[in-house]
Structures are given as structure tokens and as C-alpha cells.
Amino acid sequence: MSPQRQRHVANKGNSLHYNGLRISGVGIDIVRIARMRERLQSESGLADELFTPAEIAYCDSQANPAAEFAGLFAAKEALLKAVAMGLTDGFVWRDIEVIRDSIGAPTLAITGRLSALLVGRPKLIPHLSISFAKDAA
């Protein structure tokens, strides 16, 4: 690592600090597109359980809705891994919404019970990237 980079990145206990910001969790997930397609087709109401109306509208407007749904679900799972929480904590999937900024970049909105559960923790500034491969997101 270059000396300049070393000044900006430092390990402190169980977290990573970068330019003064504390990185307290990283979450990564991958979802098979075919599995998401199969589940959405076979489980009535699943899309409404997992995704907000805006997310459903966005995915349905894309060329490959199943790939988009898989990417959004992977992003939600990754957030839960990053904050070390699970659904047993009493929130619903729709408490996490993937939204797009003015240039289409994805980011996360956290609402409802999940937002309440995160009160008292360090400020959460999620950084999100959704990647797609031939059969996974």
C-alpha cells in the first residue's frame, strides 16, 4: 500500500476507518436469477412481501425483471449481513428499499421497524453496487 493510502486507511479494533469514516460492516450476497424467477412465478404474493411497490414497478419496466428482482434481493440480504441482523428481529423486507438517484445509481432507504432497530448505532451510510452475471445478481 502506498504511503498516501496508508494515511487514509487504518484498522482500529474490529472496524476499518477510511478518511475519518468508520466502516463497521460489509455485506455481500448473490442470488440465482432462475431461482428468483421460479419463486416469483410459483409463490403468489412473494413480490409484494419482498419488494415495495416502487421496486416492483422498476423491475417490471426492465428487459429482464427476474434479474432486477434478484439484484434487489441480493442488496437487501447484503445490508442485513452488514448490520448483523436477521428477520427474527421483527422487521419486514419492505423496510429496506433500493432506490435510484438522479443518474440511476442504486442506494438504500431504511424505514419502518428496521430503522427503529438501528437507532443508537453509528450512523449508517450504505454504499451499494449491484452486479449482474449471466445467471446471477
Side-chain angles (χ1 to χ4, degrees):
M1 183 179 297
S2 72
Q4 180 181 11
R5 180 130 171 99
Q6 286 176 340
R7 282 182 275 159
H8 298 290
V9 178
N11 276 318
K12 295 181 181 178
N14 291 331
S15 63
L16 182 68
H17 291 251
Y18 179 76
N19 284 343
L21 296 174
R22 179 174 167 250
I23 299 172
S24 60
V26 175
I28 299 171
D29 199 65
I30 188 166
V31 175
R32 286 184 23 245
I33 295 168
R35 177 157 167 71
M36 179 58 70
R37 181 180 297 111
E38 291 164 8
R39 290 199 59 204
L40 289 170
Q41 290 172 348
S42 66
E43 298 178 39
S44 177
L46 182 63
D48 293 323
E49 179 183 329
L50 300 178
F51 305 104
T52 66
E55 289 173 321
I56 293 170
Y58 174 80
C59 292
D60 285 343
S61 74
Q62 301 302 301
N64 187 349
E68 298 296 333
F69 281 119
L72 297 188
F73 189 73
K76 293 177 183 214
E77 283 275 353
L79 175 70
L80 295 183
K81 291 175 182 177
V83 299
M85 297 185 101
L87 289 178
T88 57
D89 291 304
F91 59 90
V92 295
W93 287 110
R94 292 177 316 279
D95 287 351
I96 307 166
E97 182 176 14
V98 178
I99 57 176
R100 307 279 170 173
D101 69 12
S102 62
I103 61 169
T107 190
L108 294 167
I110 301 164
T111 60
R113 174 91 174 118
L114 181 57
S115 179
L117 289 168
L118 293 174
V119 169
R121 290 186 177 203
K123 183 177 180 183
L124 179 65
I125 305 171
H127 296 269
L128 177 62
S129 175
I130 302 174
S131 298
F132 298 91
K134 181 179 178 180
D135 59 353

